[in-house]
Amino acid sequence: MSRVLRDGVSIHYEYDESEGDGTPVVFVQGLGYGRWMWRWQREAVADTFDVIAPDNRGTGQSDTGLPPLIPRLPRKLRAPLIFKFAGYSIGGLAADLEAVLDDAGIREAHIVGASLGGMIAQRYALEYTRAKTLTLCCTSHGGPDAVPIPEETREFIFDVPKGASEREKLRHRMRPAFNERFTNRNPHLMDRILEWRLEQDALDPAREAQAAAALNFDVSDRLDGLRVPTLILHGTDDRVVPATNGTLLKEAIPNARLERFEGGSHCFFIEDAERVNEELLAFLDEHE
C-alpha cells in the first residue's frame, strides 16, 4: 500500500510490478467506482506491464479532502453546497494523478481511463509530460457540444428509492451502466460487484464532489493540440455517456482511433472484457 500527500489530502494507490519490461500502465476509474472495476484489464496486462491503480480522491482508501462539516449534512443541504462551492475539479484530480506517478518514480506511462477517469486522463495528458499513450473508455471531452447524461439515467444515479439499503441503492444506480441481458445472465457476478462496491466505492459526499468535477469539465477546444497516441473505446448502447461522445473525441484528437463495441453498455469493459483486453494489449504493444 502506497500513499502520497497532495494539497494536504492523502491519495492511496497500488503499484503491482510485473516480470516484463513494458512501460507501466495506469488505470483511472469512473465516477465513484473503486479499483475493482479494472480487475479484468489489470489481469490481462499484468504479465508484461507494471500496473499503477490510484484511488481517486474520495474513493477507496484515499481521503475526501472535503470540509469536515459537509459530509455530515443531509443530502438536500449538502449537495447544493458541494456543487457550488466544494466540488472537486478535473484539474485537481489530474494533479492528484501526477503526484501519484511522481511518488512512484514513473517517468512515462500508458494512461487508461473510463468515464470520469477518461476526463482525468485527457486533462493529465494536456498538462503533464508522463503520458505515453491514452486509452479513453466511455468518456467525453465535455463542454456544450458533448452529449449529456440522459435525464432518465440521472434519475437512476442520483435519486434512489427512499428507505433503500446501501446494497439496494447501489443496485439501483448500476442499472443504466449494464445491459439488462448481461445482469440477468450473471447474477453471481453482479452480487460480487455489489460487494466490491460496498468495500471500495466512494460514499455519497465524495460521489457528489466527483460529479461536480465531471459537470464542469471541458477540454473540447484544447484537444487539437494533443499529440499522444490515443485509442477510444465506446459501447454503442451506453446509457450513461452516449456513444456520440466517442465520435466527438475522435474528431477532436489528432490521429485518434475509435473502436465501437456494438450493443456495448457503459461498463462494456466488464461485459466484453475479452475483446477490450485484446484491443488494449494490441494498442499498448504497438506503442512500446
Side-chain angles (χ1 to χ4, degrees):
M1 182 177 74
S2 299
R3 288 187 174 275
V4 62
L5 274 179
R6 193 194 75 80
D7 197 24
V9 177
S10 177
I11 305 298
H12 167 265
Y13 65 95
E14 291 183 346
Y15 187 173
D16 298 332
E17 297 188 46
S18 73
E19 296 182 1
D21 58 359
T23 303
V25 182
V26 181
F27 289 100
V28 191
Q29 60 263 33
L31 198 158
Y33 280 43
R35 296 181 312 278
W36 66 267
M37 66 170 274
W38 289 120
R39 63 187 300 116
W40 294 267
Q41 285 68 51
R42 288 177 65 173
E43 289 174 2
V45 306
D47 289 342
T48 307
F49 302 92
D50 291 0
V51 168
I52 298 92
D55 283 331
N56 289 335
R57 181 174 293 232
T59 305
Q61 297 180 51
S62 290
D63 292 346
T64 66
L66 293 172
L69 176 63
I70 284 184
R72 302 176 194 167
L73 296 173
R75 184 178 183 275
K76 284 187 178 180
L77 296 176
R78 181 187 70 231
L81 286 174
I82 287 177
F83 278 90
K84 271 195 170 183
F85 305 112
Y88 304 150
S89 69
I90 298 297
L93 295 170
D96 289 346
L97 179 56
E98 171 68 1
V100 165
L101 297 189
D102 185 58
D103 186 70
I106 303 299
R107 291 187 298 173
E108 191 175 47
H110 300 290
I111 312 294
V112 183
S115 198
L116 176 80
M119 297 176 183
I120 297 169
Q122 291 171 68
R123 185 72 181 262
Y124 184 80
L126 286 167
E127 298 188 359
Y128 301 96
T129 61
R130 302 178 204 263
K132 185 173 185 178
T133 68
L134 287 182
T135 301
L136 305 175
C137 304
C138 54
T139 193
S140 161
H141 58 42
D145 294 333
V147 181
I149 299 174
E151 186 58 37
E152 180 184 0
T153 299
R154 285 177 185 266
E155 291 174 4
F156 268 100
I157 294 174
F158 294 107
D159 297 330
V160 295
K162 288 185 178 180
S165 67
E166 284 303 309
R167 186 182 296 273
E168 289 167 341
K169 288 178 185 177
L170 285 173
R171 193 178 291 278
H172 181 80
R173 286 172 175 159
M174 281 199 305
R175 283 184 62 187
F178 287 87
N179 281 323
E180 187 173 349
R181 185 178 180 187
F182 180 84
T183 59
N184 289 340
R185 287 184 170 185
N186 297 277
H188 297 301
L189 174 58
M190 300 310 295
D191 286 342
R192 194 75 184 97
I193 286 174
L194 280 175
E195 295 301 325
W196 293 330
R197 298 201 70 175
L198 286 167
E199 178 186 350
Q200 296 182 20
D201 277 16
L203 297 179
D204 283 349
R207 285 181 69 256
E208 292 156 11
Q210 291 182 12
L215 288 173
N216 291 316
F217 174 69
D218 181 6
V219 292
S220 56
D221 61 349
R222 300 174 61 189
L223 291 177
D224 59 350
L226 192 60
R227 294 295 180 264
V228 177
T230 301
L231 173 65
I232 301 162
L233 306 175
H234 217 118
T236 61
D237 286 354
D238 190 331
R239 291 187 286 161
V240 180
V241 180
T244 301
N245 289 294
T247 303
L248 293 172
L249 273 173
K250 181 184 184 301
E251 293 170 352
I253 300 174
N255 301 314
R257 179 161 64 87
L258 170 63
E259 292 294 335
R260 296 179 178 89
F261 286 70
E262 194 62 39
S265 69
H266 191 58
C267 287
F268 71 96
F269 47 88
I270 297 174
E271 297 185 351
D272 199 359
E274 185 174 346
R275 185 185 158 200
V276 169
N277 294 345
E278 288 175 1
E279 294 283 355
L280 176 60
L281 283 168
F283 178 67
L284 297 180
D285 289 341
E286 179 185 352
H287 295 285
E288 275 295 294

